[in-house]
Amino acid sequence: EAQVTQNPRYLITVTGKKLTVTCSQNMNHEYMSWYRQDPGLGLRQIYYSMNVEVTDKGDVPEGYKVSRKEKRNFPLILESPSPNQTSLYFCASKTHGMNTEAFFGQGTRLTVV
Amino acid sequence: QKEVEQDPGPLSVPEGAIVSLNCTYSNSAFQYFMWYRQYSRKGPELLMYTYSSGNKEDGRFTAQVDKSSKYISLFIRDSQPSDSATYLCAMNEGKLIFGQGTELSVKP
């Protein structure tokens, strides 16, 4: 089954404790992206990757890191989480092209206390 | 100015109503326009996409693009409670750019 898998689905952590949210896709997609979704602000792009070893900042990259060492994986790293990073996070992937569909993971609800 | 603007709602309508959801955008170079639907506690899923100007119909859903006004719309005819979700417009120019999403509730 074609899918984007995020882990964990839910996470509560403390300020400053490094964490990683994993994202994996099995569709051989070149493009992968991370978004955060907050009430009233919609989906905001954190980072995206057009292919292996190619990453770019989105609209809200501060406080986040990513890496793309393999095509299927695109982890999101919070080196020192803060409460303002409490949010719902989505990973997405798609093939290149303007009319291609993006497939989303189920989301990771992160709470930083 | 945001590249894509969408009224977040919430929008509440009775079952059977015609729903109109809208987005405006600032970049006249955008050519590909998409609508995603997101049910509660789920990731967004592609509903429809259109290229350039004009209309596209799929069952009860019609997507409309007016490039001269930089305005896109999604119409839902005979709305059903199962249509209750957040609807996000998106522009696809290599990377995806989303609107804020409009939360729709269709009451039985």
Side-chain angles (χ1 to χ4, degrees):
Chain A
E1 180 190 353
Q3 60 186 7
V4 178
T5 304
Q6 289 179 232
N7 279 298
R9 291 288 311 278
Y10 301 92
L11 180 60
I12 300 174
T13 190
V14 297
T15 299
K17 185 176 181 181
K18 180 179 178 180
L19 66 92
T20 299
V21 184
T22 63
C23 175
S24 181
Q25 50 96 2
N26 62 0
M27 294 167 279
N28 202 37
H29 287 166
E30 298 89 3
Y31 178 97
M32 296 187 75
S33 182
W34 276 103
Y35 299 87
R36 61 178 289 174
Q37 189 171 36
D38 302 287
L41 298 176
L43 275 174
R44 293 183 293 167
Q45 191 172 53
I46 303 170
Y47 271 94
Y48 65 99
S49 169
M50 300 294 272
N51 216 322
V52 176
E53 302 290 4
V54 180
T55 61
D56 274 300
K57 294 177 180 179
D59 299 316
V60 288
E62 294 78 21
Y64 304 94
K65 283 177 56 177
V66 293
S67 69
R68 188 89 182 274
K69 292 183 170 52
E70 307 164 281
K71 202 171 189 180
R72 64 184 292 122
N73 296 322
F74 190 44
L76 179 70
I77 302 155
L78 285 72
E79 295 269 3
S80 183
S82 62
N84 65 12
Q85 292 178 297
T86 292
S87 187
L88 179 59
Y89 292 85
F90 286 101
C91 179
S93 74
K94 71 180 186 76
T95 58
H96 284 317
M98 301 302 189
N99 64 343
T100 56
E101 177 181 358
F103 293 84
F104 283 81
Q106 289 288 77
T108 295
R109 184 164 293 282
L110 173 65
T111 301
V112 183
V113 297
Chain B
Q1 182 188 4
K2 285 191 174 185
E3 287 190 282
V4 181
E5 297 271 9
Q6 184 177 7
D7 185 342
L11 181 61
S12 182
V13 302
E15 183 175 353
I18 296 174
V19 176
S20 171
L21 305 167
N22 309 294
C23 287
T24 59
Y25 61 94
S26 58
N27 189 342
S28 58
F30 288 151
Q31 296 271 30
Y32 292 87
F33 307 92
M34 298 178 163
W35 286 95
Y36 281 78
R37 179 171 60 192
Q38 183 180 19
Y39 290 114
S40 181
R41 291 187 289 276
K42 301 281 191 182
E45 293 179 322
L46 181 65
L47 183 61
M48 295 180 71
Y49 84 90
T50 54
Y51 170 69
S52 197
S53 282
N55 292 359
K56 184 174 183 179
E57 192 172 315
D58 184 1
R60 297 184 293 109
F61 298 87
T62 300
Q64 193 172 77
V65 176
D66 181 350
K67 290 199 72 182
S68 62
S69 302
K70 297 182 196 160
Y71 192 85
I72 69 170
S73 301
L74 178 71
F75 298 97
I76 307 174
R77 291 186 301 281
D78 187 24
S79 56
Q80 302 295 309
S82 58
D83 296 328
S84 298
T86 296
Y87 291 80
L88 301 114
C89 62
M91 319 284 154
N92 194 355
E93 297 299 313
K95 69 170 191 170
L96 274 177
I97 304 168
F98 285 91
Q100 295 95 315
T102 299
E103 185 181 345
L104 172 67
S105 177
V106 181
K107 303 293 187 186

mmCIF file with all atom_site columns, all heavy atoms in Angstrom, chain B residues 14-28:
data_model
loop_
_atom_site.group_PDB
_atom_site.id
_atom_site.type_symbol
_atom_site.label_atom_id
_atom_site.label_alt_id
_atom_site.label_comp_id
_atom_site.label_asym_id
_atom_site.label_entity_id
_atom_site.label_seq_id
_atom_site.pdbx_PDB_ins_code
_atom_site.Cartn_x
_atom_site.Cartn_y
_atom_site.Cartn_z
_atom_site.occupancy
_atom_site.B_iso_or_equiv
_atom_site.pdbx_formal_charge
_atom_site.auth_seq_id
_atom_site.auth_comp_id
_atom_site.auth_asym_id
_atom_site.auth_atom_id
_atom_site.pdbx_PDB_model_num
ATOM 1   N N   . PRO B 1 14 ? -26.664 24.199 6.325   1.00 0.00 ? 14 PRO B N   1
ATOM 2   C CA  . PRO B 1 14 ? -27.569 23.053 6.462   1.00 0.00 ? 14 PRO B CA  1
ATOM 3   C C   . PRO B 1 14 ? -27.357 22.050 5.332   1.00 0.00 ? 14 PRO B C   1
ATOM 4   O O   . PRO B 1 14 ? -26.897 22.414 4.237   1.00 0.00 ? 14 PRO B O   1
ATOM 5   C CB  . PRO B 1 14 ? -28.961 23.691 6.370   1.00 0.00 ? 14 PRO B CB  1
ATOM 6   C CG  . PRO B 1 14 ? -28.743 24.913 5.550   1.00 0.00 ? 14 PRO B CG  1
ATOM 7   C CD  . PRO B 1 14 ? -27.362 25.401 5.858   1.00 0.00 ? 14 PRO B CD  1
ATOM 8   N N   . GLU B 1 15 ? -27.667 20.828 5.584   1.00 0.00 ? 15 GLU B N   1
ATOM 9   C CA  . GLU B 1 15 ? -27.562 19.776 4.566   1.00 0.00 ? 15 GLU B CA  1
ATOM 10  C C   . GLU B 1 15 ? -28.340 20.184 3.315   1.00 0.00 ? 15 GLU B C   1
ATOM 11  O O   . GLU B 1 15 ? -29.445 20.714 3.401   1.00 0.00 ? 15 GLU B O   1
ATOM 12  C CB  . GLU B 1 15 ? -28.122 18.467 5.120   1.00 0.00 ? 15 GLU B CB  1
ATOM 13  C CG  . GLU B 1 15 ? -27.999 17.289 4.186   1.00 0.00 ? 15 GLU B CG  1
ATOM 14  C CD  . GLU B 1 15 ? -28.467 15.994 4.831   1.00 0.00 ? 15 GLU B CD  1
ATOM 15  O OE1 . GLU B 1 15 ? -28.757 16.006 6.050   1.00 0.00 ? 15 GLU B OE1 1
ATOM 16  O OE2 . GLU B 1 15 ? -28.528 14.965 4.123   1.00 0.00 ? 15 GLU B OE2 1
ATOM 17  N N   . GLY B 1 16 ? -27.740 19.941 2.150   1.00 0.00 ? 16 GLY B N   1
ATOM 18  C CA  . GLY B 1 16 ? -28.383 20.285 0.889   1.00 0.00 ? 16 GLY B CA  1
ATOM 19  C C   . GLY B 1 16 ? -28.013 21.646 0.342   1.00 0.00 ? 16 GLY B C   1
ATOM 20  O O   . GLY B 1 16 ? -28.298 21.953 -0.814  1.00 0.00 ? 16 GLY B O   1
ATOM 21  N N   . ALA B 1 17 ? -27.353 22.465 1.147   1.00 0.00 ? 17 ALA B N   1
ATOM 22  C CA  . ALA B 1 17 ? -26.970 23.807 0.701   1.00 0.00 ? 17 ALA B CA  1
ATOM 23  C C   . ALA B 1 17 ? -25.852 23.738 -0.332  1.00 0.00 ? 17 ALA B C   1
ATOM 24  O O   . ALA B 1 17 ? -25.104 22.760 -0.415  1.00 0.00 ? 17 ALA B O   1
ATOM 25  C CB  . ALA B 1 17 ? -26.527 24.641 1.897   1.00 0.00 ? 17 ALA B CB  1
ATOM 26  N N   . ILE B 1 18 ? -25.738 24.816 -1.096  1.00 0.00 ? 18 ILE B N   1
ATOM 27  C CA  . ILE B 1 18 ? -24.588 24.987 -1.988  1.00 0.00 ? 18 ILE B CA  1
ATOM 28  C C   . ILE B 1 18 ? -23.517 25.743 -1.211  1.00 0.00 ? 18 ILE B C   1
ATOM 29  O O   . ILE B 1 18 ? -23.778 26.790 -0.628  1.00 0.00 ? 18 ILE B O   1
ATOM 30  C CB  . ILE B 1 18 ? -24.969 25.778 -3.255  1.00 0.00 ? 18 ILE B CB  1
ATOM 31  C CG1 . ILE B 1 18 ? -26.003 24.994 -4.072  1.00 0.00 ? 18 ILE B CG1 1
ATOM 32  C CG2 . ILE B 1 18 ? -23.724 26.055 -4.110  1.00 0.00 ? 18 ILE B CG2 1
ATOM 33  C CD1 . ILE B 1 18 ? -26.542 25.761 -5.270  1.00 0.00 ? 18 ILE B CD1 1
ATOM 34  N N   . VAL B 1 19 ? -22.324 25.190 -1.229  1.00 0.00 ? 19 VAL B N   1
ATOM 35  C CA  . VAL B 1 19 ? -21.210 25.789 -0.482  1.00 0.00 ? 19 VAL B CA  1
ATOM 36  C C   . VAL B 1 19 ? -20.224 26.399 -1.464  1.00 0.00 ? 19 VAL B C   1
ATOM 37  O O   . VAL B 1 19 ? -19.910 25.796 -2.506  1.00 0.00 ? 19 VAL B O   1
ATOM 38  C CB  . VAL B 1 19 ? -20.497 24.725 0.373   1.00 0.00 ? 19 VAL B CB  1
ATOM 39  C CG1 . VAL B 1 19 ? -19.280 25.316 1.074   1.00 0.00 ? 19 VAL B CG1 1
ATOM 40  C CG2 . VAL B 1 19 ? -21.451 24.115 1.388   1.00 0.00 ? 19 VAL B CG2 1
ATOM 41  N N   . SER B 1 20 ? -19.732 27.555 -1.129  1.00 0.00 ? 20 SER B N   1
ATOM 42  C CA  . SER B 1 20 ? -18.713 28.220 -1.942  1.00 0.00 ? 20 SER B CA  1
ATOM 43  C C   . SER B 1 20 ? -17.502 28.493 -1.067  1.00 0.00 ? 20 SER B C   1
ATOM 44  O O   . SER B 1 20 ? -17.598 29.169 -0.043  1.00 0.00 ? 20 SER B O   1
ATOM 45  C CB  . SER B 1 20 ? -19.271 29.536 -2.504  1.00 0.00 ? 20 SER B CB  1
ATOM 46  O OG  . SER B 1 20 ? -18.243 30.278 -3.125  1.00 0.00 ? 20 SER B OG  1
ATOM 47  N N   . LEU B 1 21 ? -16.370 27.959 -1.459  1.00 0.00 ? 21 LEU B N   1
ATOM 48  C CA  . LEU B 1 21 ? -15.111 28.161 -0.737  1.00 0.00 ? 21 LEU B CA  1
ATOM 49  C C   . LEU B 1 21 ? -14.151 28.883 -1.680  1.00 0.00 ? 21 LEU B C   1
ATOM 50  O O   . LEU B 1 21 ? -14.090 28.552 -2.870  1.00 0.00 ? 21 LEU B O   1
ATOM 51  C CB  . LEU B 1 21 ? -14.526 26.822 -0.313  1.00 0.00 ? 21 LEU B CB  1
ATOM 52  C CG  . LEU B 1 21 ? -15.457 25.938 0.522   1.00 0.00 ? 21 LEU B CG  1
ATOM 53  C CD1 . LEU B 1 21 ? -14.907 24.526 0.621   1.00 0.00 ? 21 LEU B CD1 1
ATOM 54  C CD2 . LEU B 1 21 ? -15.638 26.532 1.908   1.00 0.00 ? 21 LEU B CD2 1
ATOM 55  N N   . ASN B 1 22 ? -13.409 29.847 -1.145  1.00 0.00 ? 22 ASN B N   1
ATOM 56  C CA  . ASN B 1 22 ? -12.625 30.708 -2.031  1.00 0.00 ? 22 ASN B CA  1
ATOM 57  C C   . ASN B 1 22 ? -11.209 30.947 -1.533  1.00 0.00 ? 22 ASN B C   1
ATOM 58  O O   . ASN B 1 22 ? -10.952 30.913 -0.326  1.00 0.00 ? 22 ASN B O   1
ATOM 59  C CB  . ASN B 1 22 ? -13.329 32.064 -2.148  1.00 0.00 ? 22 ASN B CB  1
ATOM 60  C CG  . ASN B 1 22 ? -14.789 31.914 -2.494  1.00 0.00 ? 22 ASN B CG  1
ATOM 61  O OD1 . ASN B 1 22 ? -15.139 31.460 -3.574  1.00 0.00 ? 22 ASN B OD1 1
ATOM 62  N ND2 . ASN B 1 22 ? -15.655 32.267 -1.555  1.00 0.00 ? 22 ASN B ND2 1
ATOM 63  N N   . CYS B 1 23 ? -10.344 31.228 -2.478  1.00 0.00 ? 23 CYS B N   1
ATOM 64  C CA  . CYS B 1 23 ? -8.966  31.611 -2.182  1.00 0.00 ? 23 CYS B CA  1
ATOM 65  C C   . CYS B 1 23 ? -8.538  32.711 -3.150  1.00 0.00 ? 23 CYS B C   1
ATOM 66  O O   . CYS B 1 23 ? -8.976  32.720 -4.311  1.00 0.00 ? 23 CYS B O   1
ATOM 67  C CB  . CYS B 1 23 ? -7.997  30.440 -2.337  1.00 0.00 ? 23 CYS B CB  1
ATOM 68  S SG  . CYS B 1 23 ? -8.097  29.206 -1.060  1.00 0.00 ? 23 CYS B SG  1
ATOM 69  N N   . THR B 1 24 ? -7.690  33.578 -2.675  1.00 0.00 ? 24 THR B N   1
ATOM 70  C CA  . THR B 1 24 ? -7.027  34.534 -3.559  1.00 0.00 ? 24 THR B CA  1
ATOM 71  C C   . THR B 1 24 ? -5.527  34.286 -3.488  1.00 0.00 ? 24 THR B C   1
ATOM 72  O O   . THR B 1 24 ? -5.020  33.742 -2.503  1.00 0.00 ? 24 THR B O   1
ATOM 73  C CB  . THR B 1 24 ? -7.325  35.989 -3.151  1.00 0.00 ? 24 THR B CB  1
ATOM 74  O OG1 . THR B 1 24 ? -6.878  36.183 -1.794  1.00 0.00 ? 24 THR B OG1 1
ATOM 75  C CG2 . THR B 1 24 ? -8.803  36.290 -3.236  1.00 0.00 ? 24 THR B CG2 1
ATOM 76  N N   . TYR B 1 25 ? -4.844  34.656 -4.546  1.00 0.00 ? 25 TYR B N   1
ATOM 77  C CA  . TYR B 1 25 ? -3.406  34.461 -4.570  1.00 0.00 ? 25 TYR B CA  1
ATOM 78  C C   . TYR B 1 25 ? -2.750  35.676 -5.203  1.00 0.00 ? 25 TYR B C   1
ATOM 79  O O   . TYR B 1 25 ? -3.394  36.463 -5.899  1.00 0.00 ? 25 TYR B O   1
ATOM 80  C CB  . TYR B 1 25 ? -3.036  33.170 -5.307  1.00 0.00 ? 25 TYR B CB  1
ATOM 81  C CG  . TYR B 1 25 ? -3.455  33.110 -6.751  1.00 0.00 ? 25 TYR B CG  1
ATOM 82  C CD1 . TYR B 1 25 ? -2.583  33.483 -7.767  1.00 0.00 ? 25 TYR B CD1 1
ATOM 83  C CD2 . TYR B 1 25 ? -4.728  32.683 -7.118  1.00 0.00 ? 25 TYR B CD2 1
ATOM 84  C CE1 . TYR B 1 25 ? -2.948  33.423 -9.101  1.00 0.00 ? 25 TYR B CE1 1
ATOM 85  C CE2 . TYR B 1 25 ? -5.110  32.623 -8.441  1.00 0.00 ? 25 TYR B CE2 1
ATOM 86  C CZ  . TYR B 1 25 ? -4.218  32.994 -9.426  1.00 0.00 ? 25 TYR B CZ  1
ATOM 87  O OH  . TYR B 1 25 ? -4.591  32.931 -10.752 1.00 0.00 ? 25 TYR B OH  1
ATOM 88  N N   . SER B 1 26 ? -1.455  35.810 -4.959  1.00 0.00 ? 26 SER B N   1
ATOM 89  C CA  . SER B 1 26 ? -0.773  37.037 -5.384  1.00 0.00 ? 26 SER B CA  1
ATOM 90  C C   . SER B 1 26 ? 0.134   36.840 -6.594  1.00 0.00 ? 26 SER B C   1
ATOM 91  O O   . SER B 1 26 ? 0.398   37.785 -7.327  1.00 0.00 ? 26 SER B O   1
ATOM 92  C CB  . SER B 1 26 ? 0.044   37.604 -4.223  1.00 0.00 ? 26 SER B CB  1
ATOM 93  O OG  . SER B 1 26 ? 0.987   36.644 -3.782  1.00 0.00 ? 26 SER B OG  1
ATOM 94  N N   . ASN B 1 27 ? 0.595   35.617 -6.825  1.00 0.00 ? 27 ASN B N   1
ATOM 95  C CA  . ASN B 1 27 ? 1.566   35.372 -7.884  1.00 0.00 ? 27 ASN B CA  1
ATOM 96  C C   . ASN B 1 27 ? 0.867   34.988 -9.190  1.00 0.00 ? 27 ASN B C   1
ATOM 97  O O   . ASN B 1 27 ? 0.310   33.902 -9.311  1.00 0.00 ? 27 ASN B O   1
ATOM 98  C CB  . ASN B 1 27 ? 2.529   34.258 -7.447  1.00 0.00 ? 27 ASN B CB  1
ATOM 99  C CG  . ASN B 1 27 ? 3.693   34.098 -8.398  1.00 0.00 ? 27 ASN B CG  1
ATOM 100 O OD1 . ASN B 1 27 ? 3.649   34.551 -9.538  1.00 0.00 ? 27 ASN B OD1 1
ATOM 101 N ND2 . ASN B 1 27 ? 4.747   33.446 -7.932  1.00 0.00 ? 27 ASN B ND2 1
ATOM 102 N N   . SER B 1 28 ? 0.912   35.879 -10.151 1.00 0.00 ? 28 SER B N   1
ATOM 103 C CA  . SER B 1 28 ? 0.213   35.631 -11.418 1.00 0.00 ? 28 SER B CA  1
ATOM 104 C C   . SER B 1 28 ? 0.837   34.486 -12.218 1.00 0.00 ? 28 SER B C   1
ATOM 105 O O   . SER B 1 28 ? 0.256   34.029 -13.196 1.00 0.00 ? 28 SER B O   1
ATOM 106 C CB  . SER B 1 28 ? 0.197   36.908 -12.267 1.00 0.00 ? 28 SER B CB  1
ATOM 107 O OG  . SER B 1 28 ? 1.514   37.355 -12.500 1.00 0.00 ? 28 SER B OG  1
#
